[in-house]
Amino acid sequence: MWAKGGKHGFGASEKLATRKSGRLRAYVTAISLLLVLVLSSSAFFVSDTYLPVLCIFSGILVLHGLLLRGNISVIGRVFMVQLVITMSLYYLLHGQSQMAQGMIVVLRILLAFIPGWWLSVSTTPEKIAQVLTWVLPAKWAFVIGASIGLLPFMTRELREIYQVQCLRGARITPKALRDPRNWQELMTCVVFPLLIQLLKLSRQMAIAAQLRYYGKTNKPTHWQE
Amino acid sequence: MNKRMHFSLQDALFIGFCATLLVALKSMLRLKLGLSGHSMFLMTFFYLICYGVVGRLGAITACGLLSGVVAMILSIGKGGPLILVKFALPALAMDLSLIVLLGLFTLRWRCITVGLVGCLAWAVKGWVEDLLLGMTMQVALVQFGLSMLKGGAFTVLAASLVPPVLERLRSHDLLGDNLKSKGKI
C-alpha cells in the first residue's frame, strides 16, 4: 500500500516537474519570438551608427545557429541574390558614387533575415504553436493545429494525385511545366482534385469535432499526454 | 479575428487547409523556380479560392493571417514574425477591394481586379521596406516597378484560373452549402 502510494506520489511530482519545464520552455520561445521581432524590425529602423551593434547581435545568433547545426548556406544564398540585384541597380542608376550605400542596404536586408533563420533553427514549430495559442482564439488555434497536423496527409495526397495524372499522360512533368501553357492542365489535373479532397476533409473533420461536443464550451478541454 | 470573422468550423478548417497548402507549396516552388513574384501566383489563387468557396467577406483576410501564422510556425520565408505582414497585407487589400467590387464586373474580371489590388499592396509593402532599408528613391521605384510587373503577370495568370475551378466545383455540387444561402458570386 505504502509502495503504491509512494509510486503515485512520485508520478504526480514528475508530472508537475515536466509541466513546469514545459511552461518554462514556452516562456523561452515567447522571448525568442519577441527578440526576433525586435531585431528584424531594428534592421529597418535603426540609423547607420547603430548597425555595428545589430551586426554583433546577429553574429551571436549566427554562431548559436551554427552550434545547433543550422544550414548557413541559406543565408549565403540570400546575401548573394540581394547583392547581385541591388548592386546592379545601384550601378546602373547612380554609377559608382553610391555603391557604399548599396552595400549598407544589402547588409540591412541580411540583418532582417538572420533572426528569422535563427528562430527556425533554434525553436521547434510545436513550441511556436503553443505560444501562439496564448494570443489566438481557441477555434483558430484548433484550425492551425489541425492544418499543420494534416500537412503530411495533404502532401501525400498531392504527390499521389500528381503521380497518377503523370501516368495518365498529363503534361505536368517538371519539363512540361516550363511552358506556362501547361499550367492550366496542372490546375485541372492536380489542384482541382486536391481542392475536392480538402473540401471533403474539412467537412469530415468539422462533423467529427462537433460529434465530440466541440464548440459547446468557451474553454475547450484537451487530451492529456 | 474578431466577430466579423465568425466562420463555421468547416469553413474555418477549409481556410486553414488552403493556408497551409499555400505555405507548403510556396516553400517547394521557391527552391525550384527562384523567381521573385511567383508567390503572388499562389497567394492570389488560394485567397480567391477561399473567397469563392466560403463565399463571404473576411475569408481572404482570414486565409492571409493564417498563412502568415503557419509560415511563421514552419519558419518559411525571411523576416521571422514579419512574414505575417507579407501574407496578411495583400489579403486585407483584396478583401477591402471586394467591398467596392462585390456586385461589379463578371467573376473573371472581378478576380483579376481583386488580385491586382493584392499585388499592388504586396509591391507597395516591398517599396516601403526598401525605403526603410535606406534605398534611394530611384532604385526603390525600379524595384517596385519590377515587383509589380512580375507579380502582376503571375497574379493575372492565377486569377484567370480561379473561375473555371469554381465553376467545376459548383457543377460537382460542392459549393452548394455555402453559396445557396448567401447568394454570393
Side-chain angles (χ1 to χ4, degrees), chain A:
Chain A
M1 198 62 193
W2 166 255
K4 199 178 174 184
K7 206 176 173 183
H8 272 292
F10 178 73
S13 68
E14 199 179 43
K15 211 178 270 180
L16 195 71
T18 316
R19 202 177 293 170
K20 266 186 184 174
S21 74
R23 202 176 296 165
L24 187 72
R25 262 180 277 159
Y27 284 131
V28 171
T29 309
I31 292 166
S32 302
L33 269 169
L34 282 175
L35 181 75
V36 169
L37 189 63
V38 169
L39 287 177
S40 296
S41 313
S42 302
F44 292 99
F45 296 114
V46 295
S47 62
D48 289 352
T49 44
Y50 294 107
L51 273 185
V53 181
L54 211 56
C55 285
I56 293 168
F57 274 111
S58 297
I60 294 167
L61 293 186
V62 170
L63 284 176
H64 187 230
L66 282 174
L67 278 174
L68 295 169
R69 297 182 180 179
N71 183 9
I72 192 86
S73 66
V74 183
I75 296 178
R77 204 164 57 217
V78 169
F79 179 71
M80 286 312 293
V81 168
Q82 292 301 330
L83 192 74
V84 170
I85 295 172
T86 312
M87 296 309 280
S88 317
L89 282 174
Y90 263 86
Y91 186 75
L92 285 170
L93 292 170
H94 302 297
Q96 285 183 334
S97 58
Q98 291 190 20
M99 293 299 266
Q101 199 187 340
M103 273 307 291
I104 291 174
V105 171
V106 176
L107 180 69
R108 279 178 185 270
I109 293 171
L110 201 65
L111 290 175
F113 177 74
I114 287 171
W117 170 81
W118 172 77
L119 188 74
S120 70
V121 173
S122 63
T123 315
T124 58
E126 300 85 44
K127 286 278 162 250
I128 301 176
Q130 190 185 349
V131 171
L132 285 173
T133 54
W134 297 349
V135 287
L136 283 174
K139 183 163 124 184
W140 292 101
F142 171 72
V143 167
I144 291 170
S147 306
I148 292 175
L150 284 167
L151 185 60
F153 172 79
M154 285 190 261
T155 47
R156 197 171 56 239
E157 281 288 314
L158 181 67
R159 202 177 303 128
E160 278 174 11
I161 294 168
Y162 177 78
Q163 283 167 351
V164 167
Q165 296 290 11
C166 278
L167 285 172
R168 291 179 68 195
R171 286 166 298 189
I172 50 169
T173 55
K175 197 178 170 185
L177 286 176
R178 282 182 203 157
D179 184 355
R181 282 174 297 180
N182 294 333
W183 292 7
Q184 169 82 46
E185 201 155 326
L186 182 76
M187 287 293 148
T188 336
C189 296
V190 181
V191 178
F192 178 66
L194 188 72
L195 282 174
I196 292 177
Q197 286 291 79
L198 291 187
L199 274 167
K200 268 189 190 170
L201 192 65
S202 58
R203 190 171 298 175
Q204 283 167 358
M205 270 201 78
I207 291 169
Q210 274 152 4
L211 286 174
R212 287 167 176 78
Y213 297 105
Y214 178 87
K216 296 282 178 196
T217 56
N218 287 331
K219 285 188 177 178
T221 51
H222 303 274
W223 287 106
Q224 293 289 323
E225 284 187 14

Side-chain angles (χ1 to χ4, degrees), chain B:
Chain B
M1 304 207 182
N2 52 18
K3 291 221 165 173
R4 273 186 72 82
M5 286 200 191
H6 195 78
F7 298 102
S8 69
L9 185 60
Q10 185 190 326
D11 288 345
L13 281 167
F14 181 76
I15 292 170
F17 293 156
C18 280
T20 313
L21 205 63
L22 157 64
V23 173
L25 285 175
K26 183 178 147 48
S27 73
M28 282 180 216
L29 281 180
R30 189 180 53 161
L31 298 172
K32 294 273 190 306
L33 291 173
L35 284 170
S36 74
H38 77 270
S39 57
M40 274 318 294
F41 178 83
L42 290 169
M43 264 199 259
T44 308
F45 182 78
F46 280 104
Y47 288 173
L48 289 174
I49 285 289
C50 272
Y51 167 65
V53 171
V54 175
R56 54 182 286 191
L57 288 174
I60 298 179
T61 309
C63 189
L65 284 169
L66 286 182
S67 305
V69 171
V70 170
M72 204 164 78
I73 292 171
L74 299 177
S75 305
I76 287 163
K78 27 191 183 175
L82 294 181
I83 193 86
L84 195 68
V85 182
K86 184 184 174 170
F87 282 99
L89 196 68
L92 191 65
M94 285 163 89
D95 245 345
L96 288 175
S97 70
L98 268 173
I99 296 173
V100 183
L101 298 168
L102 206 55
L104 302 173
F105 310 128
T106 56
L107 179 60
R108 183 189 171 86
W109 284 106
R110 203 186 317 156
C111 282
I112 291 174
T113 317
V114 168
L116 283 173
V117 171
C119 181
L120 182 70
W122 173 76
V124 167
K125 188 217 74 155
W127 179 62
V128 172
E129 267 180 8
D130 287 345
L131 288 179
L132 285 173
L133 287 166
M135 251 180 216
T136 57
M137 185 57 93
Q138 290 101 314
V139 176
L141 278 174
V142 171
Q143 293 264 38
F144 170 78
L146 285 173
S147 300
M148 201 57 211
L149 205 69
K150 285 186 279 188
F154 280 112
T155 300
V156 171
L157 197 64
S160 53
L161 290 173
V162 172
V165 172
L166 287 178
E167 199 53 52
R168 290 191 71 176
L169 285 173
R170 196 185 325 208
S171 64
H172 282 75
D173 211 18
L174 287 161
L175 300 186
D177 293 351
N178 290 310
L179 301 180
K180 264 177 202 162
S181 53
K182 290 161 198 159
K184 299 275 170 68
I185 302 182

